[in-house]
Amino acid sequence: MSNHETIIIIDFGSQYTQLITRRIREANVYSEVYPHTIDISAIGNINLKGIILSGGPMSVYDDDAPELNPALLDLNVPILGICYGLQLLCLNYGGKVEKTKNREYGKAKLHILSNNSLFEDVKNNSTVWMNHGDVLSELPDEFERIGESDHSPVCAISNGNKLVYGVQFHPEVVHTEEGTKIINNYLFNICKCKADWTPKNFIDEQIIKIKKTIGNDKALCALSGGVDSTVAAILVKKAIGDNLISIHIDNGLMRKDESANIGKLFDDNLKLNHIYVDASKKFLSALKGITDPEQKRKIIGKIFIQVFEEESKKIKDVKFLVQGTLYPDVIESVSVKGASVTIKTHHNVGGLPDKMNLILIEPFRELFKDEVRNIGRELNIPEKFIERHPFPGPGLAVRVPGEVTKTKLDILREADDIFISAIEEENLYNKIWQAFTVLLPVSSVGVMGDFRTYEYVLSLRAVTSVDGMTADWYPFEHEFLTDISNKLINKVRGINRVVYDISSKPPATIEWE
């Protein structure tokens, strides 16, 4: 996206690096993440407006601490250092950094000392989020101290002539009260960005790019029914029409009536040229007796590729494959040390391009999930579909710990449908990032009427999140949990106990497998 004004983030390993990128994108300014080992020539064609140095988990005095490439300081664009990035700026310009006895972590108050453009209209004594063990003890020449906190006498610095700024806190996290305003001040007051990164601009540019790339050839899309692949298919269809052929494979691991419902959406609403393949028996047969989660994933991926290949061979003159790869998949595949690895194999249909000799089209490779949803809205995809909760690639197989059987899947499908319907009836669906049920591989004793039962335990899971990287469990009202437990036990044969998973991520993951 070199034609867009761009802010690049140099990643030093911070857990918040993606958040910096997201906050910039939310201001309609394009941004990209690069490892700290960046080769300066890699950004030569970028319409560069500014550089942000991320935080990091290490001390600047650690033996293998990431270092700042000094050539970045000679690019004549404004620079903002955050936490570890601030400390690197200080060292590179001749200042001093010292270890502290007590690490400062959590909320602090920012005391603004200067009417600086970085803090324009920022409320004094607002709350900021700290996460550091080193502090600045001596300013570099020509820098001024523009902010302090109770435990960090040098909390923010600036050099107006060089347009270099640094903050010890993290403006990108929601705990920093005026964080969005500080980032926007950097983008618009200091970098003079125009905010030209919008869904409409993205769509217009991608259509031109896709038309030029594919021309009159045909492309395939593995259409799972999820948001990413569906929005990608609609975008590519706008560029090449019915030369896009989508294939939806029913693997028998979908939610209740899902393939039928999304097939209706594809046909009636979106008018997608798609092929429906029922391969459920093939998947379930291959999963028989398998209990290891990783083995289940590999088997599902292998069968998917086999079925997809079989169907694709029936279509002539296909040269391209469309995938819904997102930017977090790209970022997470690159180590902060700079070693590049491939996109995670479980993402979408990893492995297909090599086996099928197709050219990969990834229109969303530069986007986050919320940006894809905004693209979908701009393309007039129904809002109810756009707001669907994420669904794992291996489907319900990872929500049936242990062996996957049709009986277990049918029980889980029914329970999941009741749970999600109850959430929708309470108008909670869009407040929750992801909600689902898990059929546990244990049975418990129960009493129904005058009979003793020995049936499955069902776990409910509902979390709030921004991007799935971290998550908190959703605090349902006790009355809701009581009602849904009774409803599930009464209506779903095979379940006699319901539990609610109140684990956060980390240390747990969102899915159970």
Side-chain angles (χ1 to χ4, degrees), residues 267-307:
D267 285 333
D268 298 346
N269 293 81
L270 305 180
K271 308 298 182 185
L272 281 173
N273 180 14
H274 82 284
I275 299 166
Y276 169 78
V277 182
D278 183 358
S280 54
K281 290 182 180 178
K282 185 174 289 190
F283 279 87
L284 291 179
S285 176
L287 290 169
K288 187 175 181 179
I290 305 300
T291 59
D292 178 74
E294 186 61 25
Q295 198 174 354
K296 283 196 274 187
R297 287 178 179 271
K298 288 180 179 178
I299 288 171
I300 291 166
K302 181 180 178 181
I303 300 298
F304 181 90
I305 290 172
Q306 289 176 358
V307 175

Short mmCIF file of all heavy atoms in Angstrom, two decimals, residues 267-307:
data_model
loop_
_atom_site.label_atom_id
_atom_site.label_comp_id
_atom_site.label_asym_id
_atom_site.label_seq_id
_atom_site.Cartn_x
_atom_site.Cartn_y
_atom_site.Cartn_z
N ASP A 267 -26.53 -17.89 -2.28
CA ASP A 267 -27.39 -17.92 -3.46
C ASP A 267 -28.29 -16.70 -3.55
O ASP A 267 -28.32 -15.99 -4.56
CB ASP A 267 -28.25 -19.18 -3.46
CG ASP A 267 -27.47 -20.42 -3.83
OD1 ASP A 267 -26.47 -20.30 -4.55
OD2 ASP A 267 -27.84 -21.52 -3.38
N ASP A 268 -29.06 -16.44 -2.48
CA ASP A 268 -30.12 -15.44 -2.53
C ASP A 268 -29.62 -14.02 -2.33
O ASP A 268 -30.05 -13.10 -3.02
CB ASP A 268 -31.18 -15.76 -1.47
CG ASP A 268 -31.85 -17.11 -1.71
OD1 ASP A 268 -31.69 -17.66 -2.82
OD2 ASP A 268 -32.53 -17.62 -0.79
N ASN A 269 -28.71 -13.82 -1.36
CA ASN A 269 -28.28 -12.47 -1.03
C ASN A 269 -27.03 -12.02 -1.79
O ASN A 269 -26.99 -10.92 -2.33
CB ASN A 269 -28.00 -12.35 0.48
CG ASN A 269 -29.26 -12.49 1.31
OD1 ASN A 269 -29.71 -13.60 1.57
ND2 ASN A 269 -29.85 -11.38 1.74
N LEU A 270 -26.04 -12.89 -1.83
CA LEU A 270 -24.74 -12.48 -2.35
C LEU A 270 -24.50 -12.89 -3.80
O LEU A 270 -23.55 -12.42 -4.42
CB LEU A 270 -23.63 -13.05 -1.46
CG LEU A 270 -23.74 -12.70 0.03
CD1 LEU A 270 -22.59 -13.31 0.82
CD2 LEU A 270 -23.77 -11.19 0.23
N LYS A 271 -25.35 -13.78 -4.31
CA LYS A 271 -25.27 -14.21 -5.72
C LYS A 271 -23.88 -14.71 -6.10
O LYS A 271 -23.33 -14.38 -7.14
CB LYS A 271 -25.65 -13.06 -6.65
CG LYS A 271 -26.98 -12.39 -6.33
CD LYS A 271 -28.16 -13.32 -6.44
CE LYS A 271 -29.48 -12.61 -6.16
NZ LYS A 271 -30.63 -13.54 -6.15
N LEU A 272 -23.30 -15.52 -5.20
CA LEU A 272 -21.96 -16.06 -5.46
C LEU A 272 -22.04 -17.33 -6.31
O LEU A 272 -22.91 -18.18 -6.09
CB LEU A 272 -21.26 -16.39 -4.14
CG LEU A 272 -20.64 -15.22 -3.37
CD1 LEU A 272 -20.15 -15.71 -2.01
CD2 LEU A 272 -19.50 -14.58 -4.14
N ASN A 273 -21.16 -17.44 -7.25
CA ASN A 273 -21.03 -18.65 -8.07
C ASN A 273 -20.29 -19.69 -7.23
O ASN A 273 -19.08 -19.67 -7.12
CB ASN A 273 -20.23 -18.31 -9.34
CG ASN A 273 -20.05 -19.52 -10.24
OD1 ASN A 273 -20.71 -20.54 -10.08
ND2 ASN A 273 -19.16 -19.40 -11.20
N HIS A 274 -21.06 -20.60 -6.58
CA HIS A 274 -20.41 -21.52 -5.64
C HIS A 274 -20.87 -22.96 -5.82
O HIS A 274 -21.96 -23.23 -6.33
CB HIS A 274 -20.62 -21.06 -4.19
CG HIS A 274 -21.94 -21.48 -3.60
ND1 HIS A 274 -23.12 -20.85 -3.90
CD2 HIS A 274 -22.24 -22.47 -2.72
CE1 HIS A 274 -24.11 -21.42 -3.23
NE2 HIS A 274 -23.61 -22.41 -2.51
N ILE A 275 -20.02 -23.86 -5.38
CA ILE A 275 -20.27 -25.31 -5.45
C ILE A 275 -20.35 -25.84 -4.03
O ILE A 275 -19.49 -25.55 -3.19
CB ILE A 275 -19.13 -26.03 -6.21
CG1 ILE A 275 -19.04 -25.50 -7.65
CG2 ILE A 275 -19.33 -27.53 -6.19
CD1 ILE A 275 -17.75 -25.91 -8.35
N TYR A 276 -21.41 -26.62 -3.74
CA TYR A 276 -21.57 -27.22 -2.42
C TYR A 276 -21.14 -28.67 -2.48
O TYR A 276 -21.56 -29.42 -3.36
CB TYR A 276 -23.04 -27.12 -1.97
CG TYR A 276 -23.35 -27.94 -0.73
CD1 TYR A 276 -22.99 -27.49 0.54
CD2 TYR A 276 -23.98 -29.18 -0.84
CE1 TYR A 276 -23.26 -28.24 1.67
CE2 TYR A 276 -24.26 -29.95 0.29
CZ TYR A 276 -23.90 -29.47 1.54
OH TYR A 276 -24.17 -30.22 2.65
N VAL A 277 -20.29 -29.06 -1.53
CA VAL A 277 -19.79 -30.44 -1.49
C VAL A 277 -20.05 -31.02 -0.09
O VAL A 277 -19.57 -30.47 0.91
CB VAL A 277 -18.28 -30.51 -1.78
CG1 VAL A 277 -17.80 -31.95 -1.77
CG2 VAL A 277 -17.95 -29.84 -3.11
N ASP A 278 -20.82 -32.09 -0.02
CA ASP A 278 -21.05 -32.76 1.26
C ASP A 278 -20.01 -33.87 1.43
O ASP A 278 -20.10 -34.93 0.83
CB ASP A 278 -22.46 -33.35 1.31
CG ASP A 278 -22.77 -33.99 2.67
OD1 ASP A 278 -21.88 -34.00 3.53
OD2 ASP A 278 -23.91 -34.47 2.86
N ALA A 279 -19.01 -33.60 2.25
CA ALA A 279 -17.94 -34.58 2.50
C ALA A 279 -17.93 -35.01 3.96
O ALA A 279 -16.93 -35.49 4.47
CB ALA A 279 -16.59 -33.97 2.12
N SER A 280 -19.06 -34.86 4.65
CA SER A 280 -19.12 -35.11 6.08
C SER A 280 -18.73 -36.54 6.45
O SER A 280 -18.01 -36.77 7.43
CB SER A 280 -20.51 -34.78 6.62
OG SER A 280 -21.52 -35.48 5.90
N LYS A 281 -19.18 -37.53 5.67
CA LYS A 281 -18.86 -38.92 5.99
C LYS A 281 -17.36 -39.18 5.90
O LYS A 281 -16.79 -39.92 6.70
CB LYS A 281 -19.63 -39.86 5.06
CG LYS A 281 -21.14 -39.88 5.32
CD LYS A 281 -21.85 -40.86 4.39
CE LYS A 281 -23.34 -40.88 4.67
NZ LYS A 281 -24.06 -41.80 3.75
N LYS A 282 -16.72 -38.57 4.90
CA LYS A 282 -15.29 -38.76 4.71
C LYS A 282 -14.50 -38.20 5.90
O LYS A 282 -13.55 -38.82 6.40
CB LYS A 282 -14.85 -38.08 3.41
CG LYS A 282 -13.39 -38.31 3.05
CD LYS A 282 -13.07 -37.74 1.68
CE LYS A 282 -13.71 -38.55 0.57
NZ LYS A 282 -13.22 -38.16 -0.78
N PHE A 283 -14.90 -37.03 6.41
CA PHE A 283 -14.21 -36.42 7.54
C PHE A 283 -14.41 -37.24 8.81
O PHE A 283 -13.46 -37.53 9.54
CB PHE A 283 -14.71 -34.99 7.76
CG PHE A 283 -14.09 -33.97 6.85
CD1 PHE A 283 -14.64 -33.71 5.60
CD2 PHE A 283 -12.96 -33.26 7.23
CE1 PHE A 283 -14.09 -32.77 4.76
CE2 PHE A 283 -12.39 -32.32 6.39
CZ PHE A 283 -12.95 -32.07 5.14
N LEU A 284 -15.66 -37.63 9.08
CA LEU A 284 -15.95 -38.35 10.32
C LEU A 284 -15.30 -39.73 10.32
O LEU A 284 -14.84 -40.21 11.37
CB LEU A 284 -17.47 -38.48 10.51
CG LEU A 284 -18.20 -37.16 10.81
CD1 LEU A 284 -19.71 -37.40 10.94
CD2 LEU A 284 -17.67 -36.52 12.07
N SER A 285 -15.22 -40.35 9.16
CA SER A 285 -14.57 -41.65 9.06
C SER A 285 -13.08 -41.53 9.38
O SER A 285 -12.50 -42.36 10.10
CB SER A 285 -14.76 -42.23 7.66
OG SER A 285 -14.04 -43.44 7.52
N ALA A 286 -12.45 -40.46 8.88
CA ALA A 286 -11.01 -40.26 9.12
C ALA A 286 -10.71 -39.92 10.57
O ALA A 286 -9.60 -40.16 11.06
CB ALA A 286 -10.49 -39.15 8.21
N LEU A 287 -11.69 -39.35 11.29
CA LEU A 287 -11.50 -38.94 12.67
C LEU A 287 -11.80 -40.05 13.67
O LEU A 287 -11.57 -39.88 14.89
CB LEU A 287 -12.37 -37.72 13.00
CG LEU A 287 -11.96 -36.40 12.33
CD1 LEU A 287 -13.04 -35.35 12.50
CD2 LEU A 287 -10.64 -35.89 12.91
N LYS A 288 -12.30 -41.17 13.20
CA LYS A 288 -12.69 -42.26 14.10
C LYS A 288 -11.51 -42.73 14.94
O LYS A 288 -10.44 -43.05 14.43
CB LYS A 288 -13.25 -43.43 13.28
CG LYS A 288 -13.85 -44.53 14.15
CD LYS A 288 -14.51 -45.61 13.31
CE LYS A 288 -15.12 -46.68 14.19
NZ LYS A 288 -15.80 -47.75 13.38
N GLY A 289 -11.69 -42.74 16.25
CA GLY A 289 -10.67 -43.22 17.17
C GLY A 289 -9.58 -42.22 17.49
O GLY A 289 -8.70 -42.50 18.30
N ILE A 290 -9.61 -41.03 16.89
CA ILE A 290 -8.56 -40.02 17.10
C ILE A 290 -8.93 -39.12 18.29
O ILE A 290 -10.05 -38.58 18.34
CB ILE A 290 -8.37 -39.16 15.84
CG1 ILE A 290 -8.07 -40.04 14.63
CG2 ILE A 290 -7.26 -38.14 16.06
CD1 ILE A 290 -6.83 -40.88 14.76
N THR A 291 -8.02 -38.95 19.22
CA THR A 291 -8.28 -38.12 20.39
C THR A 291 -7.32 -36.94 20.54
O THR A 291 -7.64 -35.96 21.19
CB THR A 291 -8.20 -38.96 21.68
OG1 THR A 291 -6.90 -39.54 21.78
CG2 THR A 291 -9.25 -40.07 21.67
N ASP A 292 -6.13 -37.03 19.94
CA ASP A 292 -5.15 -35.97 20.08
C ASP A 292 -5.58 -34.73 19.28
O ASP A 292 -5.86 -34.83 18.08
CB ASP A 292 -3.78 -36.45 19.57
CG ASP A 292 -2.73 -35.36 19.66
OD1 ASP A 292 -2.28 -35.05 20.78
OD2 ASP A 292 -2.39 -34.79 18.60
N PRO A 293 -5.65 -33.55 19.91
CA PRO A 293 -6.14 -32.34 19.23
C PRO A 293 -5.34 -31.98 17.98
O PRO A 293 -5.92 -31.65 16.94
CB PRO A 293 -5.99 -31.25 20.29
CG PRO A 293 -5.97 -31.96 21.59
CD PRO A 293 -5.34 -33.29 21.32
N GLU A 294 -4.01 -32.05 18.06
CA GLU A 294 -3.19 -31.69 16.92
C GLU A 294 -3.38 -32.67 15.77
O GLU A 294 -3.41 -32.29 14.59
CB GLU A 294 -1.71 -31.62 17.33
CG GLU A 294 -0.77 -31.10 16.25
CD GLU A 294 -1.10 -29.69 15.80
OE1 GLU A 294 -1.70 -28.93 16.58
OE2 GLU A 294 -0.74 -29.34 14.66
N GLN A 295 -3.52 -33.95 16.12
CA GLN A 295 -3.76 -34.96 15.09
C GLN A 295 -5.10 -34.73 14.41
O GLN A 295 -5.23 -34.89 13.19
CB GLN A 295 -3.69 -36.36 15.70
CG GLN A 295 -3.48 -37.47 14.67
CD GLN A 295 -3.28 -38.83 15.30
OE1 GLN A 295 -3.20 -38.96 16.53
NE2 GLN A 295 -3.22 -39.86 14.48
N LYS A 296 -6.10 -34.35 15.18
CA LYS A 296 -7.42 -34.05 14.61
C LYS A 296 -7.31 -32.91 13.60
O LYS A 296 -7.85 -32.99 12.50
CB LYS A 296 -8.40 -33.67 15.73
CG LYS A 296 -8.94 -34.83 16.52
CD LYS A 296 -10.18 -34.47 17.32
CE LYS A 296 -9.88 -33.89 18.64
NZ LYS A 296 -11.09 -33.68 19.47
N ARG A 297 -6.58 -31.86 13.99
CA ARG A 297 -6.42 -30.71 13.09
C ARG A 297 -5.73 -31.12 11.79
O ARG A 297 -6.13 -30.71 10.70
CB ARG A 297 -5.60 -29.62 13.79
CG ARG A 297 -6.35 -28.87 14.88
CD ARG A 297 -5.44 -27.84 15.54
NE ARG A 297 -6.15 -27.09 16.58
CZ ARG A 297 -6.82 -25.96 16.36
NH1 ARG A 297 -6.88 -25.46 15.15
NH2 ARG A 297 -7.42 -25.35 17.34
N LYS A 298 -4.68 -31.92 11.91
CA LYS A 298 -3.94 -32.33 10.72
C LYS A 298 -4.79 -33.20 9.80
O LYS A 298 -4.74 -33.06 8.57
CB LYS A 298 -2.67 -33.07 11.14
CG LYS A 298 -1.61 -32.16 11.73
CD LYS A 298 -0.36 -32.94 12.14
CE LYS A 298 0.70 -32.01 12.70
NZ LYS A 298 1.90 -32.74 13.17
N ILE A 299 -5.58 -34.10 10.38
CA ILE A 299 -6.45 -34.96 9.58
C ILE A 299 -7.49 -34.13 8.85
O ILE A 299 -7.74 -34.31 7.65
CB ILE A 299 -7.13 -36.02 10.47
CG1 ILE A 299 -6.10 -37.06 10.92
CG2 ILE A 299 -8.29 -36.69 9.75
CD1 ILE A 299 -6.61 -38.02 11.97
N ILE A 300 -8.10 -33.18 9.56
CA ILE A 300 -9.12 -32.33 8.95
C ILE A 300 -8.52 -31.52 7.81
O ILE A 300 -9.10 -31.40 6.73
CB ILE A 300 -9.75 -31.41 10.02
CG1 ILE A 300 -10.58 -32.25 11.00
CG2 ILE A 300 -10.65 -30.34 9.36
CD1 ILE A 300 -10.96 -31.51 12.26
N GLY A 301 -7.31 -30.97 8.04
CA GLY A 301 -6.64 -30.21 6.99
C GLY A 301 -6.31 -31.07 5.78
O GLY A 301 -6.49 -30.64 4.63
N LYS A 302 -5.85 -32.29 6.03
CA LYS A 302 -5.48 -33.20 4.94
C LYS A 302 -6.70 -33.58 4.11
O LYS A 302 -6.66 -33.55 2.86
CB LYS A 302 -4.83 -34.44 5.52
CG LYS A 302 -4.38 -35.45 4.48
CD LYS A 302 -3.73 -36.67 5.14
CE LYS A 302 -3.33 -37.71 4.09
NZ LYS A 302 -2.72 -38.92 4.74
N ILE A 303 -7.80 -33.95 4.77
CA ILE A 303 -9.02 -34.32 4.05
C ILE A 303 -9.57 -33.13 3.28
O ILE A 303 -10.03 -33.26 2.14
CB ILE A 303 -10.09 -34.88 5.01
CG1 ILE A 303 -9.56 -36.12 5.74
CG2 ILE A 303 -11.37 -35.23 4.26
CD1 ILE A 303 -9.22 -37.28 4.85
N PHE A 304 -9.50 -31.95 3.90
CA PHE A 304 -9.99 -30.76 3.22
C PHE A 304 -9.24 -30.54 1.90
O PHE A 304 -9.84 -30.28 0.86
CB PHE A 304 -9.83 -29.53 4.11
CG PHE A 304 -10.32 -28.26 3.49
CD1 PHE A 304 -11.63 -27.85 3.66
CD2 PHE A 304 -9.49 -27.48 2.69
CE1 PHE A 304 -12.10 -26.70 3.06
CE2 PHE A 304 -9.95 -26.33 2.09
CZ PHE A 304 -11.26 -25.94 2.28
N ILE A 305 -7.93 -30.67 1.96
CA ILE A 305 -7.11 -30.49 0.75
C ILE A 305 -7.48 -31.53 -0.31
O ILE A 305 -7.61 -31.20 -1.50
CB ILE A 305 -5.62 -30.56 1.10
CG1 ILE A 305 -5.21 -29.33 1.91
CG2 ILE A 305 -4.75 -30.67 -0.15
CD1 ILE A 305 -3.81 -29.38 2.47
N GLN A 306 -7.64 -32.77 0.11
CA GLN A 306 -8.01 -33.83 -0.83
C GLN A 306 -9.32 -33.53 -1.53
O GLN A 306 -9.43 -33.62 -2.77
CB GLN A 306 -8.11 -35.17 -0.10
CG GLN A 306 -6.78 -35.75 0.35
CD GLN A 306 -6.95 -37.02 1.16
OE1 GLN A 306 -8.08 -37.47 1.42
NE2 GLN A 306 -5.83 -37.61 1.59
N VAL A 307 -10.34 -33.15 -0.74
CA VAL A 307 -11.66 -32.86 -1.32
C VAL A 307 -11.59 -31.63 -2.21
O VAL A 307 -12.17 -31.61 -3.31
CB VAL A 307 -12.70 -32.66 -0.19
CG1 VAL A 307 -14.05 -32.24 -0.78
CG2 VAL A 307 -12.86 -33.94 0.62
#
